[in-house]
Amino acid sequence: MNVNQSAPPVPPFGQPQPVYPGYHQSSYGGQPGSTAAPTPYGAYNGPVPGYQQTPPPGVSRAPASSGAPPTSTAQGPCGQTAYGQFGQGDVQNGPSSGVQMQRLPGSQPFASAPLAPVVSQPAVLQPYGPPPTSAQVTAQLAGMQISGAVAPAPPPSGLGYGPPTSLASASGSFPNSGGPRMPPMTGPLLPGQSFGGPPVSQPNHVSSPPPQTLPPGTQMTGPPGPPPPMHSAQQPGYQLQQNGSFGPARGPQSNYGSPYPGAATFGSQPGPPQPLPPKRLDPDAIPSPIQVIEDDRNNRGSEPFVTGLRGQVPPLVTTNFLVKDQGNASPRYIRCTSYNIPCTSDMAKQAQVPLAAVIKPLARLPPEEASPYVVDHGESGPLRCNRCKAYMCPFMQFVEGGRRFQCCFCSCINDVPPQYFQHLDHTGKRVDAYDRPELSLGSYEFLATVDYCKNNKFPVPPAFIFMIDVSYNAVRSGLVRLLCEELKSLLDFLPREGGAEESAIRVGFVTYNKVLHFYNVKSSLAQPQMMVVSDVGDMFVPLLDGFLVNVNESRAVITSLLDQIPEMFADTRETETVFAPVIQAGMEALKAAECAGKLFLFHTSLPIAEAPGKLKNRDDRKLINTDKEKTLFQPQSGAYQTLAKECVAQGCCVDLFLFPNQYVDVATLSVVPQLTGGSVYKYACFQVENDQERFLSDLRRDVQKVVGFDAVMRVRTSTGIRAVDFFGAFYMSNTTDVELAGLDGDKTVTVEFKHDDRLNEENGALLQCALLYTSCAGQRRLRIHNLALNCCTQLADLYRNCETDTLINYMAKFAYRGVLSSPVKTVRDTLITQCAQILACYRKNCASPSSAGQLILPECMKLLPVYLNCVLKSEVLQPGAEVTTDDRAYVRQLVTSMDVAETNVFFYPRLLPLTKSPIENTTEPPAVRASEERLSNGDIYLLENGLNLFLWVGASVQQGVVQSLFGVSSFSQITSGLSVLPVLDNLLSKKVRSLIDSLRAQRSRYMKLIVVKQEDKLEMLFKHFLVEDKSLSGGASYVDFLCHMHKEIRQLLS
C-alpha cells in the first residue's frame, strides 16, 4: 500500500500556519526552499497544497511506515459495524485490514526544521567553548560530563528532575516513530561535526548532552555518529535503556526488521541532497513520560504531602502519596496549572501560561485520609466577611485582641460576634486556632442554616427515578430483563449518610416507548398499578401518592413490578421512542414532591416519535474538515437547553445510559445530563453476553456514589485576580455561580483566572471554593476549600512551578469547547500556537543563550509537547475514518468534567509489560512508552486509558505462558477479541487477573477487556492508543511533533 495515496483528512500541520506579525512565514524549515523535488507527503498528512514546498537545505524526511489504527466503528446496523472504540461494541467485527504499511524505498524528502539537541541549560550564562577534537568527543561519549563535574555513567533515557531539557538533534531524516526502527548506529564522528561544551546544570531545567550539529556548509559523508544520549544532572550511573527503565540496554528487536532501504537523507549545503544512510532523532533522547512519572514516584511517593506551606507544587497525579491538611486544600480537591503566578497581567500575557484550577469539590479520599470535618455554628450560621461574603478560613487575620478580623480576600475589617470571640496568643493567632477546623485546615464543611435553603425551608431527602425504555430494541437485546433483575438487589445499596441504617432516598419507576407508563408502588397495594400518559405534548404526572416510595416499606410491590415489566413488554412491536417528555415527567414528579433528585434514563434509539424534542438523523461525515463541522457537536434544537434550565431550577440531575445500534445524536441527547451535572454512559451494539458486566458495574457504581444535590458553587479570589471562565458539566445563569442539579465525587469544575490588578509577592494570591449542596440525607451543607499560591516577578519562578498534567487538562477542555464554535483546524492551530508561545517565552527569557538549533524545554514542562500532541490526535480534534460522530460527541462531553488523573491516562495510555518481571512479583509492573517499537513479540502487554483495556499478545510468546493465561496450547488457538480471561489456578493467571481488577478499581468507569493478537485485524484498534507513533488519521508521531514545535518556536524567536 502506497503511503502517499489516499491522504487522510488534513490537520492543521498540513497547512500554512498563521503568520505572526513581524515573523517571516516560509517553508517548513523556516527558510526558503531549495530546488529539490517537491515532497508528495504533506506536512504530517496527505498532500497539502500550502505545504508542497521544497525542503530547506539539509533537511529531509521519510514517510511513516505504519501508523496507529483508525479508532472506532462506522456505526451501521449492528451486525456489520466495525468495532466501536468508545461504545465498545461487538468485537468480532474489527477493521478489515490488518496490513502493515511498508516504507517505500527511496522515499521523498520531507521538509522539517533540523531539531537541535533538546538540551537543557543552566540559567547562568555559559558560552560554549571551541569544538573538541574527535578523540575528545569519543571520550565525552564514554563518560559524559555535566557541569564540568566528575563524569558519571550514561544516565537513563528519560530525564529526571533537574536542569532545563534540551535535545540534541540528529541532523538527518527522522523516521516516524511508528514502525520499524533503525538499530543503534555507532562510528566515528563526522569531520567537522562538533559538540559544544556541556552546559552547567541548574535546578530549573533538564540537561542533555550538548548539541550535535553541522557547521553550515559541511557535507555529510561517511557513517553518522551515534545519536546523543539524554542526560539528567541528578541521576548518574545507569545504562541508557530503550524502555525508560533502568538496566541493560536492549538491542534491536528481531521482529522489527532492518533499516529502510534507500530512505532519503540530506546534506546541509544548498543544492540537491546527497544520498546517505539515514540518521534519526533517537526516541530515547527525548523526554519520556514514563521516566518523569517514575522519578516523581521515587522522589515524592514515600513522604506525606503536607499542605502547610503556600504555593507548594504537589506530587504528580500518577504518584501515590498521602496528604496532611495543614491549612491548604489537598491536591485531590484542587490542582492548579501554576503554583506561582505572575504579579502582573503583562507578565502573564508574555508567558501565555493559562492560570487555571481544576476543582473536584466532593473528591473521594483514600481510607487513610479523614473526610472534611463538619462544623456547626448553630442558628448564627458560618462566619463570613460582610463585604465579599468569603467564609472564615485559616488566612483571615484577627486584630484588636481578637475582637475583629481582617478579610484576606478583600481586606475589609469585620467584627467578631461575641459567641465566636477568643483571645490571641503572642504571635497574634487565636489560642483555639487548632481546635477549629475553619482556622487550621484547608478543607471543611459548615452545616447551613435555613437562610441557605430554597424558599427558606429545609430540604427533604432526594429521590431517584428509574426511567426505562421498553421499545422493541431494548426488549429484544435483553436489556430490559437484565436491568429489572439487577434493580431488585441494587436498591439495597442506595447512598446513605455516615452510620445510617438505611438510605433516606425514595424511588419511583417509569417505563416508556412513545407513551409513558407511571407505576403506583404504594406499600399498601397487593400489586403495582400502571397509569399511561399518551399526551406527551403536555406532560403531567398522573399520581403523587405511591409514586415515590421508601424501598424497604414497598419492597414486595417493587419486586413484583420488576418481575412484571419484562413480561408486559415481551411482545412489543413499538420501535419509536420519545425522550424530552420523559425528562419533563421526571422533573415534574420531583417538583410535585418538593424534592431534588436524579433521573436514571435507559435509552436505545433516536427519538423520532411525534413529541417535543423530536430529532432527525443529521449524521453527515462529509462535514468533517469543513467550516460546518462544528454543527456536529451542537445540539439540534434549543428545546433541550430550556429543559435543562428547568431541571437545574428543580435540582433534577439526569444520568443517561445509551444503548445505540446506530446514530442517536449524542450531541443533543447529552445536553440535559451535561447541564445538570449528570453523566452519560454509552454501550454501542449492546449484547447481554458481551456487555452485561460493563453495564452492571457502571450502573452499580453510579447508583451507589455519593452525590450532592441542588448545588451552587462559587470561587472567590483575593484582590488582583478573578475567575473569568468555567468548564465542566453544569449550568450558569450569571457570571459567578456554577449551578449543579447534582455533583458527584468524579466530577470537576475547571476555573480560569485573569488579572484585574497587580499582585504582590509578599501576600501571594488566595482562592476559596464554596459549594452549597444538599446531602443524600437531605442535610444542607457548605463545603469550603482554600488554597494559597505564590506570586512572582520573574518568569523563571512561574516556569519552575507549573504542573503540566493540569495544564493539559485545561487545554483539552478549552479545545473541546472551542469545537462548538470554531472549525477544528482553527482549534488545533490555536493550541499549537499557544504551546509554542509558552516555550518560546521560556527560551527567550529564562534559558541561557545557545544555538538556535537547540530545543530547550523548562523542566516542569518537558512533557508539554508529547501530551499536547496526544490531545491534537484525539478523536475530537482528528477523527480517523472509523470514528463515528456520536463517539466524538461522547468523548467531548466526557473529557469536559474529567479530573487531572483521568485526562492524564486518557491522552497518554499506560502500557504495562506482563511477562518481563518475575511471576512471583505481584506489584504493578513498570510501564513502557506508548509506541509500537516498545512491543516485543515474545511478550504480553496490558494497555489502559481509563475507558478501554487491551491485552496484546505477541506472536512468539512462550507456549507455557499461553497455556497458563488462556488455557490453550498455542498462540493460534487464542480467541481474538476475548473479553474475559479464564480463571486458572496458576501464579501467572492469578497475577494478571488481579492486576486487571486493580486497574479497574482505580477508574471511575468499568474498562471492558479485549484480547488482541499480534498481526490480527483488531491490532489496528489497539495501535490507535500507541500515541507516540504516527496515527492513520494523520496525527504526527512524537518525534515529528517535537520537530514541528521546535520550528514554531524558532519562528517566534526570529
Side-chain angles (χ1 to χ4, degrees), residues 829-879:
D829 287 347
T830 305
L831 281 184
I832 293 170
T833 303
Q834 182 171 19
C835 180
Q837 285 172 333
I838 291 171
L839 298 176
C841 173
Y842 175 81
R843 174 67 194 260
K844 182 178 176 185
N845 299 289
C846 308
S848 56
S850 63
S851 101
Q854 269 182 307
L855 170 59
I856 300 185
L857 305 170
E859 167 57 28
C860 287
M861 288 189 187
K862 64 188 175 197
L863 298 181
L864 189 60
V866 61
Y867 286 162
L868 183 73
N869 189 35
C870 296
V871 174
L872 293 170
K873 291 201 288 191
S874 63
E875 283 68 25
V876 175
L877 298 182
Q878 193 159 33

Side-chain angles (χ1 to χ4, degrees), residues 633-832:
F633 297 110
Q634 297 164 352
Q636 271 189 48
S637 76
Y640 285 95
Q641 267 116 328
T642 309
L643 180 57
K645 187 176 169 182
E646 291 171 27
C647 285
V648 172
Q650 185 46 51
C652 169
C653 174
V654 179
D655 279 358
L656 176 59
F657 292 79
L658 285 171
F659 305 86
N661 289 339
Q662 51 197 8
Y663 177 74
V664 288
D665 199 349
V666 172
T668 304
L669 297 190
S670 64
V671 165
V672 179
Q674 179 78 7
L675 292 178
T676 59
S679 306
V680 179
Y681 298 84
K682 179 166 164 284
Y683 310 88
C685 299
F686 180 80
Q687 292 176 315
V688 170
E689 58 278 13
N690 287 337
D691 301 298
Q692 101 175 38
E693 194 180 356
R694 179 169 159 239
F695 162 54
L696 293 181
S697 175
D698 285 343
L699 175 62
R700 285 168 194 150
R701 199 191 144 106
D702 196 57
V703 167
Q704 293 173 41
K705 64 187 172 192
V706 173
V707 181
F709 292 96
D710 211 356
V712 182
M713 183 180 118
R714 182 177 280 198
V715 179
R716 293 178 173 84
T717 54
S718 53
T719 311
I721 53 169
R722 63 194 169 90
V724 292
D725 207 353
F726 300 84
F727 304 82
F730 53 76
Y731 176 75
M732 290 186 83
S733 56
N734 58 35
T735 56
T736 54
D737 294 340
V738 174
E739 298 172 48
L740 302 121
L743 175 68
D744 61 53
D746 298 323
K747 298 279 189 314
T748 64
V749 176
T750 302
V751 187
E752 186 183 4
F753 303 97
K754 290 265 166 74
H755 287 75
D756 57 7
D757 202 349
R758 193 185 171 88
L759 295 164
N760 73 49
E761 284 182 284
E762 191 185 332
N763 297 342
L766 302 175
L767 318 177
Q768 184 179 79
C769 161
L771 177 79
L772 174 65
Y773 70 98
T774 301
S775 73
C776 295
Q779 200 174 47
R780 202 71 175 147
R781 292 183 176 181
L782 281 152
R783 180 169 288 202
I784 313 294
H785 298 297
N786 304 290
L787 185 63
L789 303 173
N790 286 328
C791 297
C792 58
T793 52
Q794 300 296 319
L795 283 165
D797 291 329
L798 164 70
Y799 283 103
R800 202 177 279 124
N801 291 279
C802 285
E803 228 228 348
T804 300
D805 293 325
T806 311
L807 204 52
I808 288 294
N809 179 285
Y810 165 82
M811 291 171 106
K813 290 171 180 177
F814 179 81
Y816 280 19
R817 186 177 66 184
V819 297
L820 291 172
S821 52
S822 307
V824 172
K825 181 192 176 306
T826 307
V827 173
R828 291 167 48 87
D829 287 347
T830 305
L831 281 184
I832 293 170

Side-chain angles (χ1 to χ4, degrees), residues 620-640:
D620 186 0
R621 292 196 62 83
K622 293 198 288 294
L623 297 181
I624 293 178
N625 289 325
T626 69
D627 284 351
K628 289 188 177 167
E629 185 172 3
K630 57 181 180 248
T631 60
L632 297 175
F633 297 110
Q634 297 164 352
Q636 271 189 48
S637 76
Y640 285 95

Side-chain angles (χ1 to χ4, degrees), residues 522-560:
K522 198 173 176 181
S523 56
S524 56
L525 295 174
Q527 284 293 319
Q529 295 172 345
M530 178 203 269
M531 297 186 178
V532 180
V533 177
S534 50
D535 181 7
V536 289
D538 182 18
M539 185 44 64
F540 67 98
V541 180
L543 75 160
L544 293 179
D545 190 32
F547 180 63
L548 294 178
V549 296
N550 174 290
V551 172
N552 285 341
E553 288 170 13
S554 296
R555 179 171 305 279
V557 195
I558 291 173
T559 304
S560 170

Side-chain angles (χ1 to χ4, degrees), residues 461 492-505 550 552 775-779 781:
D492 288 331
F493 298 98
L494 299 177
R496 63 190 79 179
E497 284 294 300
E501 282 188 22
E502 64 174 52
S503 174
I505 292 173
N550 174 290
N552 285 341
S775 73
C776 295
Q779 200 174 47
R781 292 183 176 181

Side-chain angles (χ1 to χ4, degrees), residues 115-119 166-170 195 208-212 228-230 281-282 285:
L115 178 65
V118 177
V119 172
S166 73
L167 271 186
S169 115
F195 273 114
S208 76
Q212 189 177 2
M230 280 308 273
L281 187 65
D282 179 9

